[in-house]
Every structure is written in C-alpha cells, then in structure tokens.
Amino acid sequence: QQQVKQSPQSLIVQKGGISIINCAYENTAFDYFPWYQQFPGKGPALLIAIRPDVSEKKEGRFTISFNKSAKQFSLHIMDSQPGDSATYFCAASGAGSARQLTFGSGTQLTVLP
Amino acid sequence: DAGVTQSPTHLIKTRGQQVTLRCSPKSGHDTVSWYQQALGQGPQFIFQYYEEEERQRGNFPDRFSGHQFPNYSSELNVNALLLGDSALYLCASSLGQKNSNQPQHFGDGTRLSIL
C-alpha cells in the first residue's frame, strides 16, 4: 500500500496555540518523511523532514514526532501565528521507488489572531 | 540562486487538445519529477526524469508523456485532454535520483483548466 493518511482535514487554532497534524502510512519501505507547507497560488515548500532512525526532530517552532512501530508521524507547530495559516501536507518516500513522494490529503490550518 | 521555474503560469484548453508544460530545475539539480494536484487534494506523482530518461511512473495513462533535455529542463505533454485533467501541475527538482539526503524542491506550478 502506497497510501499516506492525514488528519484532520481542517484545523482552527488561536494565536499562540499548538497545531498538531497527524499522518499514518502502510508501506514499511518508506524511509523519508517530509512535511510541506503550501500557500494559495504557490507550490509546496519543504518545512521539515525526518528519517525513521530518530523519534523527534525540531526546527524552530516546528517539530516532527515519529513512531516507527505504529507507522505514524505528526507535525507540531508551537506558538502558532496567523502567518502559519496554510495547507500542510505530509509525505513519504522510499529508496525502492526512485524517491517519488506519496502525499497525504492535506490539512488546512487557520490561525486566528 | 533561481529556484524551480515553471511556464506558463496558467493555461486554458478545450477537450481533445494537447498541451506542453515546461520546467527548469533549481540550479545544480539533475532530477525532475512531475506531480498533478487536483483542487483540495495532495499532489499525485506522474513520473520522474533522470539522465534524460523516464525512471519511474505513477498511475497515469500514456496520454501523459515527458522529456528531459541535456540542460536538465523538462517538459510534460498531455494529449487528448479530458475535463478531469484540470489541475495544478507541479514540477519538483532534486539532486541525484536515489539520493535520500536531497529534498525535492517544487515550483509554483501551471494551473491547467480544461473547458
């Protein structure tokens, strides 16, 4: 199975709050898990990525948590800001598939001022 | 340092026509992948080009074809356009086809509308 399942579909958070987006995968050959941020009219921009040999990676206000046994990973946005309002996609790729990215269905995040 | 550039930005076609979309990869990148993003959905992998050859293909019909040039730029061609081909077409570039340490960088896409 190549599918990556993402939830929730939409998320509304108050400024300063924590935004949490979850993803689950089936294919155990996946070994690279990036998160992309997409603004309207723009292409996806790489936010942060993780490999299964670590359980957590933090870059500024963005943290990926990875649970290899559960085949789940999540994005946490700390101190969410209105400028973070965008659509977020999780993705996965594996060495055996020429590094093609399999994307989740996306989460539309709205951060209220 | 120019990022991934795509042209045109928008395109309107009618059913049955054919279309060619263009992509210039980020400077230093040699691998180009194409994705289709329908409204409200995540991008779907179409195919990848490396060393001027199609290396991997997603679940798309033969109406979708491509090409990579010696300067690493790429074209996506779609024949016999259907209404369902209306989407944002994204190009992503990376360095080294199987290099797991190199992320894919996306352009802003071509918005294709089929009437």
Side-chain angles (χ1 to χ4, degrees):
Chain A
Q1 267 294 355
Q2 293 289 323
Q3 217 174 5
V4 176
K5 296 183 179 180
Q6 184 172 346
S7 63
Q9 186 176 5
S10 63
L11 182 61
I12 300 175
V13 175
Q14 292 286 342
K15 178 182 176 181
I18 302 174
S19 303
I20 301 174
I21 304 170
N22 301 298
C23 285
Y25 64 97
E26 293 288 332
N27 189 346
T28 55
F30 287 150
D31 64 359
Y32 174 69
F33 302 88
W35 284 88
Y36 283 85
Q37 179 190 56
Q38 187 175 29
F39 291 103
K42 296 292 186 181
L46 180 65
L47 205 55
I48 187 173
I50 197 169
R51 301 191 185 282
D53 52 342
V54 297
S55 60
E56 186 175 282
K57 182 175 181 180
K58 183 176 181 179
E59 289 184 1
R61 295 185 295 108
F62 301 92
T63 300
I64 299 179
S65 297
F66 188 84
N67 186 330
K68 187 174 181 179
S69 60
K71 292 186 284 187
Q72 295 175 348
F73 58 111
S74 60
L75 175 69
H76 292 63
I77 306 174
M78 312 300 287
D79 187 26
S80 298
Q81 299 296 313
D84 296 330
S85 297
T87 301
Y88 292 80
F89 292 95
C90 61
S93 72
S97 60
R99 293 273 156 222
Q100 69 180 75
L101 290 169
T102 299
F103 283 85
S105 54
T107 296
Q108 187 167 357
L109 172 65
T110 302
V111 181
L112 301 176
Chain B
D1 181 18
V4 179
T5 58
Q6 294 187 241
S7 63
T9 305
H10 295 87
L11 203 51
I12 300 175
K13 291 286 187 179
T14 57
R15 283 180 298 173
Q17 286 188 311
Q18 69 91 25
V19 67
T20 298
L21 311 180
R22 296 177 175 81
C23 171
S24 292
K26 182 179 170 65
S27 179
H29 285 182
D30 58 6
T31 302
V32 172
S33 301
W34 287 91
Y35 292 80
Q36 180 195 65
Q37 185 177 23
L39 199 61
Q41 298 183 22
Q44 296 276 322
F45 176 77
I46 302 174
F47 44 51
Q48 182 187 84
Y49 277 84
Y50 174 69
E51 292 185 336
E52 302 180 47
E53 290 188 14
E54 183 182 298
R55 298 291 179 169
Q56 189 80 16
R57 189 178 186 92
N59 189 25
F60 280 82
D62 292 344
R63 298 187 298 109
F64 290 77
S65 63
H67 189 77
Q68 186 179 34
F69 300 94
N71 66 352
Y72 308 119
S73 67
S74 177
E75 289 182 348
L76 164 65
N77 302 292
V78 187
N79 296 321
L81 288 166
L82 303 173
L83 292 177
D85 295 332
S86 295
L88 179 67
Y89 288 85
L90 295 162
C91 171
S93 73
S94 56
L95 176 61
Q97 181 201 15
K98 295 182 179 180
N99 189 331
S100 63
N101 294 321
Q102 298 297 325
Q104 293 189 30
H105 294 262
F106 284 81
D108 288 336
T110 294
R111 173 68 65 186
L112 176 63
S113 299
I114 311 301
L115 303 180

